[in-house]
C-alpha cells in the first residue's frame, strides 16, 4: 500500500535528479559557455567543492555557481523540485496539486507559484516567440534499459522552441501529450506564427489556435501542411 502524501517527486527522483537539473539550468544560463555573473568574462576556473561544480573568475576572483543570482540560490528546495515545479507551472497547476507533486507543504507551493510570474516578467526567456518557429522535443537523463525514445523511463522530457535566425527556449514538461505540447506553444509562441515540427501526435491540431503548422518528414525530406 502506498504511503499517504507521496507525490510525483518521491516516485521520480531518478527523473528530476539533481545532476540533470543542474546541467539543464547551466545550458539555459550559459548557452555559449560559462561566464562570470559579476564581470562577464569567460576566463573561469572550475572547482569541485563537496562534489558540486563551482567556479572562480580568473579576472575578478568572484566565486560562484550556476545558481548564483537566481531564484534557486539559498532555497531549501531540491533543484530537481524547482525544475519540475517550473515545468508544471508552465502548463498550469494549482498550489495544492503542486504541493502534492513535489512533496512539499502547501505554503511552500504557494510561495513558489507566487514568485514565478514576477521572475518570468523580468526574464527574456519567457517572452513569446513569433515568426517561423521550429519545435522539437528530447529527453534528458542517463541511459537505462528498456524503452527508447519518447516515453522512455528515467528521463526528463523537454520541448525546444527556436525562431529561425532568432531566439530559442528549452522547457521542461511533465510529458509529451497533446495538452502539454499545446500548452507550451500557446504560452510561448504568438498566434499567426508558422510552427515546424515532426509528425508527433502531440503537435497535432495547432491550426485551431491560429497557428500555421507544417510537418517535417525527416525520413522523406519534405514539408506538408497539417
Amino acid at each position: 500500500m502506498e504511503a499517504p502524501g507521496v507525490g510525483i517527486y518521491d516516485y521520480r527522483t531518478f527523473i528530476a535528479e539533481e545532476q540533470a537539473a543542474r546541467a539543464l539550468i547551466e545550458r539555459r544560463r550559459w548557452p555559449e559557455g560559462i561566464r562570470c555573473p559579476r564581470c562577464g568574462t569567460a576566463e573561469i576556473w572550475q572547482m569541485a567543492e563537496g562534489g558540486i561544480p563551482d567556479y572562480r573568475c580568473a579576472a575578478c576572483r568572484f566565486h560562484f555557481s550556476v545558481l548564483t543570482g537566481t531564484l534557486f540560490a539559498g532555497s531549501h528546495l531540491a533543484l530537481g523540485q524547482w525544475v519540475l515545479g517550473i515545468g508544471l507551472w508552465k502548463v498550469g497547476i494549482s498550489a495544492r496539486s503542486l504541493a502534492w507533486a513535489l512533496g512539499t507543504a502547501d505554503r511552500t507551493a504557494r510561495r513558489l507559484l507566487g514568485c514565478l510570474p514576477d521572475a518570468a516578467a523580468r526574464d527574456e526567456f519567457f517572452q513569446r516567440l513569433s515568426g517561423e518557429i521550429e519545435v522539437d522535443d528530447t529527453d534528458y537523463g542517463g541511459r537505462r534499459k528498456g524503452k527508447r525514445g519518447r516515453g522512455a523511463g528515467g528521463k526528463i522530457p523537454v520541448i525546444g522552441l527556436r525562431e529561425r535566425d532568432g531566439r530559442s527556449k528549452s522547457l521542461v514538461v511533465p510529458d509529451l501529450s497533446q495538452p502539454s505540447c499545446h500548452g507550451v506553444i500557446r504560452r510561448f509562441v504568438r498566434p499567426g506564427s508558422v510552427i515546424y515540427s515532426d509528425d508527433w501526435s502531440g503537435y497535432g491540431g495547432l491550426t485551431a489556435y491560429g497557428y500555421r503548422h507544417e510537418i517535417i518528414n525527416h525520413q522523406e525530406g519534405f514539408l506538408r501542411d497539417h
Side-chain angles (χ1 to χ4, degrees):
M1 183 175 179
E2 296 177 345
V6 175
I8 293 173
Y9 184 76
D10 302 281
Y11 291 123
R12 299 189 178 183
T13 302
F14 60 94
I15 295 177
E17 55 110 7
E18 299 302 291
Q19 186 176 356
R22 188 174 293 269
L24 183 66
I25 292 171
E26 187 164 308
R27 285 191 295 271
R28 162 65 188 96
R29 186 172 190 182
W30 297 310
E32 298 179 357
I34 299 168
R35 290 186 174 273
C36 174
R38 175 177 288 175
C39 70
T41 184
E43 296 182 29
I44 302 299
W45 298 329
Q46 182 169 341
M47 309 166 71
E49 298 181 2
I52 298 175
D54 280 349
Y55 309 97
R56 188 179 295 278
C57 177
C60 70
R61 307 293 180 173
F62 183 54
H63 185 195
F64 64 96
S65 76
V66 69
L67 305 185
T68 300
T70 70
L71 285 171
F72 319 120
S75 172
H76 70 279
L77 287 177
L79 191 55
Q81 286 175 298
W82 270 102
V83 171
L84 185 57
I86 290 171
L88 293 173
W89 167 71
K90 286 175 180 175
V91 297
I93 191 170
S94 68
R96 177 164 293 184
S97 296
L98 183 62
W100 176 85
L102 300 183
T104 68
D106 286 355
R107 62 180 179 276
T108 300
R110 286 195 296 270
R111 283 199 299 268
L112 191 152
L113 291 179
C115 73
L116 287 177
D118 289 340
R122 297 190 301 268
D123 191 340
E124 185 178 293
F125 174 68
F126 289 94
Q127 306 308 310
R128 296 176 103 185
L129 306 179
S130 62
E132 295 186 304
I133 311 298
E134 297 176 356
V135 179
D136 204 356
D137 55 82
T138 189
D139 296 289
Y140 287 106
R143 180 173 294 181
R144 294 175 179 269
K145 293 182 179 179
K147 182 180 177 181
R148 305 281 179 170
R150 288 180 173 114
K155 303 287 187 178
I156 302 173
V158 175
I159 292 179
L161 307 170
R162 185 175 72 88
E163 289 177 332
R164 291 189 170 178
D165 302 319
R167 298 167 296 166
S168 63
K169 302 179 187 293
S170 297
L171 308 157
V172 176
V173 291
D175 54 50
L176 293 173
S177 65
Q178 191 168 101
S180 293
C181 293
H182 282 193
V184 166
I185 292 169
R186 293 180 68 190
R187 187 178 183 91
F188 294 102
V189 180
R190 293 185 185 279
S193 300
V194 183
I195 305 294
Y196 296 93
S197 75
D198 62 16
D199 60 359
W200 174 243
S201 60
Y203 302 125
L206 288 170
T207 55
Y209 302 108
Y211 301 103
R212 178 181 170 187
H213 185 198
E214 295 193 358
I215 293 177
I216 302 173
N217 187 316
H218 295 294
Q219 293 183 338
E220 299 182 26
F222 63 85
L223 297 175
R224 70 175 186 271
D225 291 333
H226 184 69

